[in-house]
Amino acid sequence: MIQLKVKILYNRREKEDYYHLSLLAPKVAREALPGQFVNIWLGREDGAFLRRPFSIHRAKEGQLHILYKVVGRGTELLSQRKAGETLDIIGPLGHGFDYQLSATNYQLPILVGGGIGVAPLTFLAERLACCLRPAARIKPLVLIGAKNKKQILCAQEFRALGCQVKTATDDGSSGFKGRVTDLFSYLLSTFLNYKLSTIYACGPRPMLKELASVCGKYNIPAQISLEEHMACGINACLGCVVETKNGYSRVCKEGPVFAADDIIWR
Ligand SMILES: Cc1cc2nc3c(=O)[nH]c(=O)nc-3n(C[C@H](O)[C@H](O)[C@H](O)COP(=O)(O)OP(=O)(O)OC[C@H]3O[C@@H](n4cnc5c(N)ncnc54)[C@H](O)[C@@H]3O)c2cc1C
Ligand code: FES
């Protein structure tokens, strides 16, 4: 974990309320693992006193990429930052995905992202592309869920990384009509080999809860990344605890990635 001031290389609007931030941060980029996050300080301006956590979207060539959605004061302030300015960040933080599981067996990795939850999954797909056994010809399957076609994120990025991509939208404007968890259940019920898979997911809590329930039913191992509200982000305040089968765990320290069947879903 390092605290440092890093230069913004670009901070551009991708679509709708979604932005892509690129930071020059070779040390953090070198250490980062898929599923980890950084905590960004946005100054003491009104409503943005605490640092804000963001998943590492990509980390390569000395650059750290963040994909974010403007939802409130902090992310609005972030969207106003310009190339050449500096940002104070702490990272990489937390415990990421254990993707070696997929590298050492022949099970299909299925990545499930809902909304901005796809952000950490591209970094994971990039690492999986390097470590899956080429002879097994396994291509990660990525399921992306969103409200509508315009809000589908990163489909091209995943395809460029050699993944198969399927989408689900609430209004049916792209791919399967319905929730991404319904698409997942449909695939499981129609193609037996999807049951021989490992699931990696990030998205809204109800989506993760549903996914955990389906995976439990089919006995499929699943790792989920929780995006709980955080205060300190560095293991000092207990503001982010979740209930697990082994007691309370801090999302910023023991998480954000947990085994889905460890969480006590309420
Ligand atoms: C480990 C982790 C990784 C994250 N990665 C990303 C990412 O890659 N991209 C991204 O856009 N966002 C990510 N988030 C969520 C992001 O931190 C929040 O959206 C951000 O802090 C909101 O700040 P704000 O001041 O703009 O909004 P606020 O004014 O604090 O809140 C605005 C609205 O957003 C809701 N909100 C705030 N924080 C969260 C949260 N953590 N989860 C759900 N709802 C929230 C509030 O309830 C409120 O309705 C992540 C969160 C965590 C904990
Ligand atoms: S946010 Fe403070 S301990 Fe996790």
Side-chain angles (χ1 to χ4, degrees), residues 15 111-113 118 141-156 158-159 164-184 186-187:
K15 55 166 90 172
L111 282 53
V112 186
V118 298
L141 171 64
V142 182
L143 309 181
I144 305 175
K147 282 191 182 137
N148 55 49
K149 187 177 181 176
K150 281 190 186 162
Q151 298 196 12
I152 293 284
L153 298 169
C154 305
Q156 270 315 108
F158 285 116
R159 287 194 187 100
Q164 320 165 56
V165 177
K166 292 185 190 295
T167 58
T169 47
D170 295 350
D171 64 359
S173 51
S174 170
F176 182 87
K177 184 172 190 294
R179 297 173 309 174
V180 71
T181 44
D182 297 332
L183 169 61
F184 178 61
Y186 168 74
L187 293 173

Side-chain angles (χ1 to χ4, degrees), residues 52-103:
R52 298 297 197 263
F54 296 94
S55 303
I56 297 170
H57 172 54
R58 301 288 282 265
K60 55 178 186 175
E61 293 158 8
Q63 293 181 34
L64 205 62
H65 296 263
I66 309 288
L67 185 66
Y68 65 98
K69 181 176 184 186
V70 174
V71 294
R73 186 67 182 138
T75 42
E76 187 192 322
L77 286 169
L78 185 59
S79 72
Q80 291 162 4
R81 296 301 181 92
K82 303 267 181 296
E85 292 179 8
T86 55
L87 274 181
D88 183 317
I89 67 166
I90 300 180
L93 293 165
H95 178 262
F97 293 104
D98 181 6
Y99 58 94
Q100 295 303 335
L101 266 176
S102 294

Side-chain angles (χ1 to χ4, degrees), residues 2-263:
I2 318 161
Q3 177 177 358
L4 71 174
K5 289 193 167 42
V6 297
K7 189 173 162 188
I8 299 176
L9 296 174
Y10 59 82
N11 186 21
R12 63 180 178 229
R13 189 165 169 248
E14 286 287 310
K15 55 166 90 172
E16 308 226 320
D17 294 332
Y18 298 97
Y19 286 72
H20 186 156
L21 171 70
S22 168
L23 303 169
L24 185 62
K27 211 167 171 211
V28 184
R30 208 167 35 243
E31 282 186 18
L33 294 168
Q36 289 190 301
F37 65 98
V38 291
N39 242 340
I40 301 183
W41 170 248
L42 293 158
R44 286 184 187 275
E45 296 193 44
D46 51 318
F49 181 70
L50 298 167
R51 286 177 182 270
R52 298 297 197 263
F54 296 94
S55 303
I56 297 170
H57 172 54
R58 301 288 282 265
K60 55 178 186 175
E61 293 158 8
Q63 293 181 34
L64 205 62
H65 296 263
I66 309 288
L67 185 66
Y68 65 98
K69 181 176 184 186
V70 174
V71 294
R73 186 67 182 138
T75 42
E76 187 192 322
L77 286 169
L78 185 59
S79 72
Q80 291 162 4
R81 296 301 181 92
K82 303 267 181 296
E85 292 179 8
T86 55
L87 274 181
D88 183 317
I89 67 166
I90 300 180
L93 293 165
H95 178 262
F97 293 104
D98 181 6
Y99 58 94
Q100 295 303 335
L101 266 176
S102 294
T104 49
N105 63 31
Y106 287 89
Q107 295 202 338
L108 173 73
I110 302 183
L111 282 53
V112 186
I116 193 64
V118 298
L121 301 181
T122 34
F123 189 16
L124 175 65
E126 190 174 67
R127 289 291 165 94
L128 282 168
C130 300
C131 73
L132 288 178
R133 298 178 190 194
R137 295 179 191 273
I138 294 172
K139 286 182 169 188
L141 171 64
V142 182
L143 309 181
I144 305 175
K147 282 191 182 137
N148 55 49
K149 187 177 181 176
K150 281 190 186 162
Q151 298 196 12
I152 293 284
L153 298 169
C154 305
Q156 270 315 108
E157 261 181 85
F158 285 116
R159 287 194 187 100
L161 289 165
C163 303
Q164 320 165 56
V165 177
K166 292 185 190 295
T167 58
T169 47
D170 295 350
D171 64 359
S173 51
S174 170
F176 182 87
K177 184 172 190 294
R179 297 173 309 174
V180 71
T181 44
D182 297 332
L183 169 61
F184 178 61
S185 295
Y186 168 74
L187 293 173
L188 285 176
S189 64
T190 47
F191 300 99
L192 193 65
N193 60 342
Y194 287 151
K195 289 174 191 158
L196 294 172
S197 56
T198 306
I199 310 302
Y200 304 90
C202 184
R205 196 178 172 99
M207 177 200 114
L208 298 177
K209 183 179 175 185
E210 172 68 17
L211 201 68
S213 154
V214 178
C215 289
K217 190 170 134 200
Y218 288 97
N219 205 18
I220 301 172
Q223 297 175 37
I224 47 101
S225 180
L226 292 175
E227 295 195 341
E228 301 294 307
H229 291 247
M230 284 185 183
C232 72
I234 51 163
N235 178 28
C237 74
L238 298 183
C240 62
V241 290
V242 286
E243 206 176 347
T244 72
K245 288 181 181 158
N246 303 312
Y248 286 99
S249 289
R250 292 152 298 189
V251 173
C252 69
K253 172 79 174 164
E254 287 83 26
V257 177
F258 293 90
D261 60 1
D262 270 355
I263 301 292

